[in-house]
Amino acid sequence: MDEQEPVDWNLLQHNPQAFFGLPASFDRKDLKRAYNVWLKRFKPEQYPTEFQRIRAAYELLESQLRFQTNQEVPLEDGIRPTLSSTDTVSLPDNSGQSLEKQTPVDPVAFVRELLARQDREGAFFELSQKEQKTSFEYYALAVLSDFTQPRAEEYSSGFVDWILAGLEVHRGDPSLLQLLRAYLSEASMNQRDMKSVLERIVTIFPNDWFYYLSESLWLRFVREVDWSTLVETLQQCEHMIRDPRQYGRLAFKTRLVRAALFKAPDDWCKETLRELEENSQSMNSSLLPEFEIVAGLFTLKQRADTFVSKGPMSQRIFDSMRSYCEDSEEAWQKKVVSNQAILAANPSAVLYEFQYTDVETRDLVLPWIIVSSEVREQLGFVDASSESPQAYGNATISLLQEIDRSFPYSKITSNQLRKSLKTIGTAALSFLGVMLPGTILTMWLSSGISPRTAGPSTQFGAVVLLVSFLLSIGAVVWAFRNPIRRIEAVYAQRLSKLLEDHYRDKGRAMVSRMLAATHLSFHDLLQVAFQCIHQQELAFGVSRVVPQYMRQDVGLWIYATAVRFQR
């Protein structure tokens, strides 16, 4: 993308898919790739307004992917309605006369002109009396209802009533659909009003679209209403839905179980996750990652006491994951960024709490790693360096050689010498044990005494000597069957133990310093390390096995993720 090329913000407003340059059948990877291209040009700290507009368009397209809807709606500082080429709007003048204007009409200018008039109630009444209203006129009525009707302390449903009335007539109008979703996510409602709106939506849309339109209100329902009321209302609404399609339902249930994970009973969570898993083949590719995260978080919830007992860093990770379920997107993303900064500033604490041998914890922190990567991409934490991971090959070689130089080889040498002397001593004693009875037996046989003429005691002595000789031969065979292999086995065992201790005490800290300096991803550093060892194996000593330890090191994995949040 040419950074000097002018940006068509009007295209972002009316056709975000074309703005991102996405094909008709784009997927989540295509969307993320296009989104990251724009983030490199409009970093949030430098262009906050432009970033928010691009972010809003991204969220819209991401939501459409989750629910597999296919709409193009306007976006700019919120949702803007559009007019079709055949629409006309009635614009009351100051004298009370209605003037019809043919499209195209600027929707925002039209509403502003109505609000600028002194007789707002007259304009509202004029539009409300029309027998056939365009979708935009319903939008205008919703806006005017907020300015012309007295506001009570309790929630007034005038605005949403006009939106829903418009959808009863224009059910496929994208402007009204998106306006409804935006309104339901922000409007102040009590429990009775939320339940009433949900029931009316399902009456108008008794199909898969109900989940797409009402999801934001359900998420508020989870936070503000007791659980039994939520389950009862959900059952009533789903009883009215007659639609064999499951895309919207699966997307909605995945987000609902995420929001209710720490509020709902475990039995409900298990049953819902089981239902989603049984229908996982019907999920689209953009929905599967979120389902896997939620399933992992449920396991984390069940082992929460053990996990947070590790220390303060574990508690911060757990708190962030709970916020991911319960709070708004802006709130939980801020918490993730804040806690990642703390983790990055305390590598020793992270490595202490998460030992490299703690394999069971790996599955528990996997949702944290995935969510953190998503936040990093969405908020524009783009790598400052454009170099490829292979460019850090020399630094990786230096790291491995440093680990080699600091390894205590003297402990291996002294231990090997001790074990070797012990084996040689055993073999020498065995040899003497063979030679002594063999020599005595030879001398006896050469004395000329016949076994037949020898006395009983002499015969018994001969038998003892013979048995001793045979046993000594067996001992020598056992002692010398493979002394080199025994020595190597002892050496390898001792080496493995010393290397594990060295990696734990010094190697992990060395690797963490390189991660902090390069901001390489954990996967990239592993890949470079394995490549260096494969290409220059003879240049390394015991450090050849370090990447194998790194691959199972949960603490380094967590720390590597944290340092990538540092700009």
Side-chain angles (χ1 to χ4, degrees), residues 14 72 74 80-89 101-107 133-137 170 172-175:
H14 294 284
E72 293 181 356
R80 298 287 189 248
T82 55
L83 293 170
S84 69
S85 59
T86 58
D87 282 340
T88 61
V89 294
K101 290 190 176 183
Q102 299 288 335
T103 55
V105 176
D106 184 354
K133 305 178 185 67
T134 65
S135 60
F136 178 69
E137 287 170 335
H170 308 281
D173 183 78
S175 300

Side-chain angles (χ1 to χ4, degrees), residues 10 86 94 104 118 147 222 248 263 286 289 311 360 465 500 523 562:
N10 186 61
T86 58
N94 289 326
Q118 295 181 352
F147 286 91
V222 171
K263 181 177 183 179
S286 63
E360 293 182 358
L465 286 173
E500 286 185 17
H523 174 269

Side-chain angles (χ1 to χ4, degrees), residues 290-311:
E290 184 176 6
F291 166 69
E292 293 172 354
I293 291 173
V294 173
L297 287 177
F298 180 67
T299 303
L300 177 62
K301 173 193 171 184
Q302 292 182 309
R303 303 180 186 176
D305 293 341
T306 302
F307 184 79
V308 298
S309 65
K310 291 178 176 294

Side-chain angles (χ1 to χ4, degrees), residues 405-420:
R405 288 191 296 271
S406 61
F407 185 78
Y409 285 97
S410 59
K411 294 183 178 180
I412 289 293
T413 304
S414 61
N415 181 74
Q416 173 62 16
L417 178 61
R418 186 170 60 255
K419 293 296 182 182
S420 300

Side-chain angles (χ1 to χ4, degrees), residues 377-390:
E377 290 183 359
Q378 292 173 6
L379 297 185
F381 286 86
V382 183
D383 294 329
S385 174
S386 60
E387 294 181 337
S388 65
Q390 286 69 26

Side-chain angles (χ1 to χ4, degrees), residues 46-163:
Q46 298 177 2
Y47 305 95
T49 302
E50 290 81 355
F51 168 77
Q52 288 297 332
R53 296 170 71 179
I54 296 172
R55 174 67 183 163
Y58 168 82
E59 291 177 353
L60 172 66
L61 294 176
E62 193 272 338
S63 179
Q64 292 178 6
L65 278 177
R66 286 180 56 241
F67 285 91
Q68 292 197 350
T69 61
N70 185 19
Q71 326 174 59
E72 293 181 356
V73 297
L75 265 178
E76 183 175 357
D77 300 328
I79 304 299
R80 298 287 189 248
T82 55
L83 293 170
S84 69
S85 59
T86 58
D87 282 340
T88 61
V89 294
S90 296
L91 181 63
D93 63 9
N94 289 326
S95 64
Q97 299 296 320
S98 176
L99 302 177
E100 288 194 344
K101 290 190 176 183
Q102 299 288 335
T103 55
V105 176
D106 184 354
V108 178
F110 174 65
V111 173
R112 286 176 178 171
E113 187 172 351
L114 289 177
L115 294 176
R117 294 183 179 277
Q118 295 181 352
D119 188 14
R120 294 175 181 172
E121 292 188 5
F124 175 82
F125 180 78
E126 180 72 22
L127 288 179
S128 65
Q129 294 303 305
K130 288 189 63 176
E131 293 185 2
Q132 295 184 348
K133 305 178 185 67
T134 65
S135 60
F136 178 69
E137 287 170 335
Y138 279 106
Y139 168 80
L141 285 167
V143 175
L144 288 172
S145 69
D146 272 354
F147 286 91
T148 58
Q149 296 179 355
R151 292 176 175 266
E153 291 185 0
E154 296 184 356
Y155 164 75
S156 174
S157 60
F159 187 98
V160 72
D161 277 346
W162 282 111
I163 298 301

